[in-house]
Amino acid sequence: MAAGVRFWWAHRSLRLRLTAAAALVIAVGLAAAAVLLVVWLHASLVNGLDSAALQRAEVVAADADSAPINADIPAADHGEDAVQVVDRGGNVIASSGNLRHRPRAFFFPVSRSGTPRAHAVQDIPVGESGSWRAVGVPAGSARNPVTVYVAVPTESVDQGLARLAAGLAAGTPAVVALLTAVVWALTGRALRPVEAMRAQTAEITASDLGRRLDVPPTADALARLARTLNDLLERLDTATRRQRRFIADAAHELRSPLSALRTRLDVAARHASSPEAQTLAGSLLRDCERLTRLVDDLLRLARLDDRRGIRMRSVDLDEIVFAEVREARRRTGLPIDQHAVGAARVRGDADALARVARNLLDNAVRYARSRVTVSLHSGDGTACLVVADDGPGIPDADRERVFERFTRLDDARSRDTGGSGLGLAIVHDVVMAHHGRTLIEDNHPGARVVVLLPAEEC
């Protein structure tokens, strides 16, 4: 569950990072495009004003070349402009109506060759002043040269560009938000196959390597990734099955010689000719029994890993517990309290659940000082089996580690009665196969091993 949550958060964070990066790129791109649009439009409109001013100046210059200059220059049809004709002495000899009786307004030099260059002029005494684009064109005769100055206002251009910039400034965030939402939806749709693959991968466990991922129908990187992961699962499944088969076969093959050896040692212990031989045979018999239990545990683990031999049916867990308590009492002189065992029905394998109770009792008896307590109750859809002892207990740091295979704590290694480290591992695997969980709690003193299984209604 924790791994799934972490993967979900990583997937969510990836989607957020992709969307944030896309939003930043979109914002920067739109801002740059808006700036370029305003600059280009401004240059284009100003060039239009320059062309209009030049055309007006050429018309006035042509009139000045062909006829005497009239002091009043008629207004143009296309809009308000400012015209002045200046002689070589700098005197205004003609002007448009808006500059009548006004002093000279233009002082920039006029190019005598090529296309005249327009100039930006400020504070022409017309209307509310403002910015103007002005050109100067030489005219007149060689004896009486004059210069025609024409200026057109840029107010309309400036106002239009200001409105455009305001519209872009107001609309760009909305466009960015809309495109970000689209990117969020598209990234979610693009990452949906990844989430599906993650969910399928999370459901595959070490005991269920036969499952495979669904390959997307598209011939893209995700499809290739799915096929690669399926090939990896195939190799892992093959290697795991080979390893489990080896362990199961080895454990099975060891059973027969161990049984024969145990029988011979038992006979040798009963008919030993000397006390020393009887003691040696008894010691070897105990070692043989311990080796037999180890082989049985390995075979049980191999079957659990392969999910073979687990037959799910309705069983009375309290009857199993009572039977295993009776067997445990025969093996030990410690008192085992079972007064708190109540009725509980679960769906599972009776032999496997009996092995759970047996291992829990053996573990508790091994470390208990004076007594072992067993309780069982059912409620809220859960059957709770608790086996407690008054021994040294299990430190918090080792409560997860004791369920690993071949794990023995230091106290267990120092005692001759220490187990192989497979008892609680078998308990954990059997309970997991029954969709339950195993916990370890303090008993003050000692430890309480709690097994929670889905209960079945009576």
Side-chain angles (χ1 to χ4, degrees), residues 349-367:
D349 187 289
D351 293 336
L353 294 176
R355 188 60 178 266
V356 168
R358 186 182 315 137
N359 287 3
L360 291 179
L361 288 170
D362 289 344
N363 185 77
V365 168
R366 183 178 299 118
Y367 299 111

PDB file of all heavy atoms in Angstrom, residues 349-367:
ATOM      1  N   ASP A 349      -7.517 -22.991   4.856  1.00  0.00           N
ATOM      2  CA  ASP A 349      -7.007 -24.354   4.844  1.00  0.00           C
ATOM      3  C   ASP A 349      -6.777 -24.797   6.278  1.00  0.00           C
ATOM      4  O   ASP A 349      -5.993 -24.188   7.005  1.00  0.00           O
ATOM      5  CB  ASP A 349      -5.707 -24.407   4.042  1.00  0.00           C
ATOM      6  CG  ASP A 349      -5.221 -25.831   3.841  1.00  0.00           C
ATOM      7  OD1 ASP A 349      -4.762 -26.441   4.829  1.00  0.00           O
ATOM      8  OD2 ASP A 349      -5.285 -26.321   2.704  1.00  0.00           O
ATOM      9  N   ALA A 350      -7.442 -25.863   6.687  1.00  0.00           N
ATOM     10  CA  ALA A 350      -7.363 -26.300   8.076  1.00  0.00           C
ATOM     11  C   ALA A 350      -5.942 -26.712   8.449  1.00  0.00           C
ATOM     12  O   ALA A 350      -5.450 -26.369   9.538  1.00  0.00           O
ATOM     13  CB  ALA A 350      -8.337 -27.461   8.314  1.00  0.00           C
ATOM     14  N   ASP A 351      -5.253 -27.444   7.561  1.00  0.00           N
ATOM     15  CA  ASP A 351      -3.892 -27.882   7.872  1.00  0.00           C
ATOM     16  C   ASP A 351      -2.947 -26.687   7.985  1.00  0.00           C
ATOM     17  O   ASP A 351      -2.095 -26.634   8.889  1.00  0.00           O
ATOM     18  CB  ASP A 351      -3.390 -28.839   6.791  1.00  0.00           C
ATOM     19  CG  ASP A 351      -4.166 -30.155   6.792  1.00  0.00           C
ATOM     20  OD1 ASP A 351      -4.737 -30.503   7.854  1.00  0.00           O
ATOM     21  OD2 ASP A 351      -4.203 -30.809   5.738  1.00  0.00           O
ATOM     22  N   ALA A 352      -3.073 -25.729   7.076  1.00  0.00           N
ATOM     23  CA  ALA A 352      -2.195 -24.561   7.128  1.00  0.00           C
ATOM     24  C   ALA A 352      -2.462 -23.732   8.380  1.00  0.00           C
ATOM     25  O   ALA A 352      -1.528 -23.250   9.038  1.00  0.00           O
ATOM     26  CB  ALA A 352      -2.382 -23.713   5.875  1.00  0.00           C
ATOM     27  N   LEU A 353      -3.738 -23.545   8.750  1.00  0.00           N
ATOM     28  CA  LEU A 353      -4.060 -22.780   9.953  1.00  0.00           C
ATOM     29  C   LEU A 353      -3.625 -23.528  11.209  1.00  0.00           C
ATOM     30  O   LEU A 353      -3.223 -22.905  12.207  1.00  0.00           O
ATOM     31  CB  LEU A 353      -5.558 -22.493   9.989  1.00  0.00           C
ATOM     32  CG  LEU A 353      -6.070 -21.555   8.880  1.00  0.00           C
ATOM     33  CD1 LEU A 353      -7.578 -21.428   8.947  1.00  0.00           C
ATOM     34  CD2 LEU A 353      -5.416 -20.190   9.008  1.00  0.00           C
ATOM     35  N   ALA A 354      -3.691 -24.839  11.173  1.00  0.00           N
ATOM     36  CA  ALA A 354      -3.171 -25.612  12.308  1.00  0.00           C
ATOM     37  C   ALA A 354      -1.664 -25.416  12.432  1.00  0.00           C
ATOM     38  O   ALA A 354      -1.133 -25.329  13.554  1.00  0.00           O
ATOM     39  CB  ALA A 354      -3.506 -27.098  12.127  1.00  0.00           C
ATOM     40  N   ARG A 355      -0.980 -25.324  11.313  1.00  0.00           N
ATOM     41  CA  ARG A 355       0.469 -25.070  11.355  1.00  0.00           C
ATOM     42  C   ARG A 355       0.744 -23.687  11.936  1.00  0.00           C
ATOM     43  O   ARG A 355       1.736 -23.502  12.667  1.00  0.00           O
ATOM     44  CB  ARG A 355       1.045 -25.172   9.941  1.00  0.00           C
ATOM     45  CG  ARG A 355       2.554 -25.110   9.879  1.00  0.00           C
ATOM     46  CD  ARG A 355       3.177 -26.261  10.682  1.00  0.00           C
ATOM     47  NE  ARG A 355       4.606 -26.256  10.607  1.00  0.00           N
ATOM     48  CZ  ARG A 355       5.301 -26.971   9.710  1.00  0.00           C
ATOM     49  NH1 ARG A 355       4.647 -27.724   8.839  1.00  0.00           N
ATOM     50  NH2 ARG A 355       6.599 -26.943   9.708  1.00  0.00           N
ATOM     51  N   VAL A 356      -0.123 -22.707  11.658  1.00  0.00           N
ATOM     52  CA  VAL A 356       0.034 -21.379  12.239  1.00  0.00           C
ATOM     53  C   VAL A 356      -0.077 -21.453  13.756  1.00  0.00           C
ATOM     54  O   VAL A 356       0.781 -20.934  14.494  1.00  0.00           O
ATOM     55  CB  VAL A 356      -1.027 -20.411  11.662  1.00  0.00           C
ATOM     56  CG1 VAL A 356      -1.063 -19.112  12.462  1.00  0.00           C
ATOM     57  CG2 VAL A 356      -0.734 -20.113  10.213  1.00  0.00           C
ATOM     58  N   ALA A 357      -1.133 -22.089  14.249  1.00  0.00           N
ATOM     59  CA  ALA A 357      -1.311 -22.198  15.700  1.00  0.00           C
ATOM     60  C   ALA A 357      -0.171 -22.978  16.337  1.00  0.00           C
ATOM     61  O   ALA A 357       0.319 -22.626  17.427  1.00  0.00           O
ATOM     62  CB  ALA A 357      -2.658 -22.854  16.001  1.00  0.00           C
ATOM     63  N   ARG A 358       0.288 -24.043  15.688  1.00  0.00           N
ATOM     64  CA  ARG A 358       1.365 -24.863  16.239  1.00  0.00           C
ATOM     65  C   ARG A 358       2.666 -24.062  16.335  1.00  0.00           C
ATOM     66  O   ARG A 358       3.357 -24.085  17.358  1.00  0.00           O
ATOM     67  CB  ARG A 358       1.555 -26.093  15.363  1.00  0.00           C
ATOM     68  CG  ARG A 358       2.553 -27.118  15.913  1.00  0.00           C
ATOM     69  CD  ARG A 358       2.709 -28.271  14.946  1.00  0.00           C
ATOM     70  NE  ARG A 358       1.401 -28.705  14.462  1.00  0.00           N
ATOM     71  CZ  ARG A 358       1.138 -29.001  13.200  1.00  0.00           C
ATOM     72  NH1 ARG A 358       2.089 -28.893  12.276  1.00  0.00           N
ATOM     73  NH2 ARG A 358      -0.073 -29.398  12.835  1.00  0.00           N
ATOM     74  N   ASN A 359       2.994 -23.342  15.271  1.00  0.00           N
ATOM     75  CA  ASN A 359       4.234 -22.549  15.301  1.00  0.00           C
ATOM     76  C   ASN A 359       4.173 -21.441  16.343  1.00  0.00           C
ATOM     77  O   ASN A 359       5.166 -21.150  17.016  1.00  0.00           O
ATOM     78  CB  ASN A 359       4.499 -21.959  13.919  1.00  0.00           C
ATOM     79  CG  ASN A 359       4.952 -22.999  12.920  1.00  0.00           C
ATOM     80  OD1 ASN A 359       5.027 -24.185  13.241  1.00  0.00           O
ATOM     81  ND2 ASN A 359       5.257 -22.574  11.707  1.00  0.00           N
ATOM     82  N   LEU A 360       3.015 -20.791  16.478  1.00  0.00           N
ATOM     83  CA  LEU A 360       2.878 -19.738  17.482  1.00  0.00           C
ATOM     84  C   LEU A 360       3.031 -20.308  18.888  1.00  0.00           C
ATOM     85  O   LEU A 360       3.692 -19.697  19.756  1.00  0.00           O
ATOM     86  CB  LEU A 360       1.531 -19.035  17.336  1.00  0.00           C
ATOM     87  CG  LEU A 360       1.343 -18.180  16.070  1.00  0.00           C
ATOM     88  CD1 LEU A 360      -0.050 -17.577  16.050  1.00  0.00           C
ATOM     89  CD2 LEU A 360       2.398 -17.074  16.013  1.00  0.00           C
ATOM     90  N   LEU A 361       2.437 -21.461  19.133  1.00  0.00           N
ATOM     91  CA  LEU A 361       2.560 -22.078  20.455  1.00  0.00           C
ATOM     92  C   LEU A 361       3.991 -22.534  20.715  1.00  0.00           C
ATOM     93  O   LEU A 361       4.516 -22.340  21.824  1.00  0.00           O
ATOM     94  CB  LEU A 361       1.591 -23.261  20.565  1.00  0.00           C
ATOM     95  CG  LEU A 361       0.106 -22.882  20.669  1.00  0.00           C
ATOM     96  CD1 LEU A 361      -0.771 -24.114  20.516  1.00  0.00           C
ATOM     97  CD2 LEU A 361      -0.168 -22.219  22.023  1.00  0.00           C
ATOM     98  N   ASP A 362       4.637 -23.129  19.717  1.00  0.00           N
ATOM     99  CA  ASP A 362       6.033 -23.550  19.901  1.00  0.00           C
ATOM    100  C   ASP A 362       6.933 -22.354  20.187  1.00  0.00           C
ATOM    101  O   ASP A 362       7.826 -22.423  21.046  1.00  0.00           O
ATOM    102  CB  ASP A 362       6.528 -24.282  18.653  1.00  0.00           C
ATOM    103  CG  ASP A 362       5.878 -25.655  18.496  1.00  0.00           C
ATOM    104  OD1 ASP A 362       5.304 -26.145  19.491  1.00  0.00           O
ATOM    105  OD2 ASP A 362       5.926 -26.207  17.381  1.00  0.00           O
ATOM    106  N   ASN A 363       6.705 -21.263  19.462  1.00  0.00           N
ATOM    107  CA  ASN A 363       7.519 -20.068  19.683  1.00  0.00           C
ATOM    108  C   ASN A 363       7.286 -19.498  21.085  1.00  0.00           C
ATOM    109  O   ASN A 363       8.239 -19.086  21.771  1.00  0.00           O
ATOM    110  CB  ASN A 363       7.180 -19.020  18.621  1.00  0.00           C
ATOM    111  CG  ASN A 363       8.072 -17.801  18.704  1.00  0.00           C
ATOM    112  OD1 ASN A 363       9.220 -17.813  18.290  1.00  0.00           O
ATOM    113  ND2 ASN A 363       7.544 -16.715  19.254  1.00  0.00           N
ATOM    114  N   ALA A 364       6.025 -19.467  21.511  1.00  0.00           N
ATOM    115  CA  ALA A 364       5.721 -18.933  22.848  1.00  0.00           C
ATOM    116  C   ALA A 364       6.285 -19.827  23.938  1.00  0.00           C
ATOM    117  O   ALA A 364       6.854 -19.341  24.928  1.00  0.00           O
ATOM    118  CB  ALA A 364       4.212 -18.775  23.003  1.00  0.00           C
ATOM    119  N   VAL A 365       6.160 -21.148  23.779  1.00  0.00           N
ATOM    120  CA  VAL A 365       6.689 -22.079  24.787  1.00  0.00           C
ATOM    121  C   VAL A 365       8.204 -21.986  24.863  1.00  0.00           C
ATOM    122  O   VAL A 365       8.799 -22.079  25.940  1.00  0.00           O
ATOM    123  CB  VAL A 365       6.226 -23.515  24.446  1.00  0.00           C
ATOM    124  CG1 VAL A 365       6.989 -24.543  25.279  1.00  0.00           C
ATOM    125  CG2 VAL A 365       4.729 -23.657  24.689  1.00  0.00           C
ATOM    126  N   ARG A 366       8.852 -21.753  23.725  1.00  0.00           N
ATOM    127  CA  ARG A 366      10.308 -21.710  23.703  1.00  0.00           C
ATOM    128  C   ARG A 366      10.854 -20.562  24.550  1.00  0.00           C
ATOM    129  O   ARG A 366      11.897 -20.695  25.183  1.00  0.00           O
ATOM    130  CB  ARG A 366      10.785 -21.574  22.255  1.00  0.00           C
ATOM    131  CG  ARG A 366      12.302 -21.583  22.109  1.00  0.00           C
ATOM    132  CD  ARG A 366      12.720 -21.500  20.659  1.00  0.00           C
ATOM    133  NE  ARG A 366      12.234 -22.633  19.895  1.00  0.00           N
ATOM    134  CZ  ARG A 366      11.395 -22.573  18.872  1.00  0.00           C
ATOM    135  NH1 ARG A 366      10.927 -21.386  18.503  1.00  0.00           N
ATOM    136  NH2 ARG A 366      11.013 -23.643  18.236  1.00  0.00           N
ATOM    137  N   TYR A 367      10.127 -19.414  24.582  1.00  0.00           N
ATOM    138  CA  TYR A 367      10.663 -18.238  25.265  1.00  0.00           C
ATOM    139  C   TYR A 367       9.925 -17.876  26.550  1.00  0.00           C
ATOM    140  O   TYR A 367      10.336 -16.962  27.253  1.00  0.00           O
ATOM    141  CB  TYR A 367      10.629 -17.032  24.314  1.00  0.00           C
ATOM    142  CG  TYR A 367      11.462 -17.237  23.083  1.00  0.00           C
ATOM    143  CD1 TYR A 367      10.869 -17.386  21.835  1.00  0.00           C
ATOM    144  CD2 TYR A 367      12.850 -17.317  23.172  1.00  0.00           C
ATOM    145  CE1 TYR A 367      11.633 -17.592  20.706  1.00  0.00           C
ATOM    146  CE2 TYR A 367      13.618 -17.531  22.049  1.00  0.00           C
ATOM    147  CZ  TYR A 367      13.013 -17.663  20.816  1.00  0.00           C
ATOM    148  OH  TYR A 367      13.774 -17.882  19.698  1.00  0.00           O
TER     149      TYR A 367
END
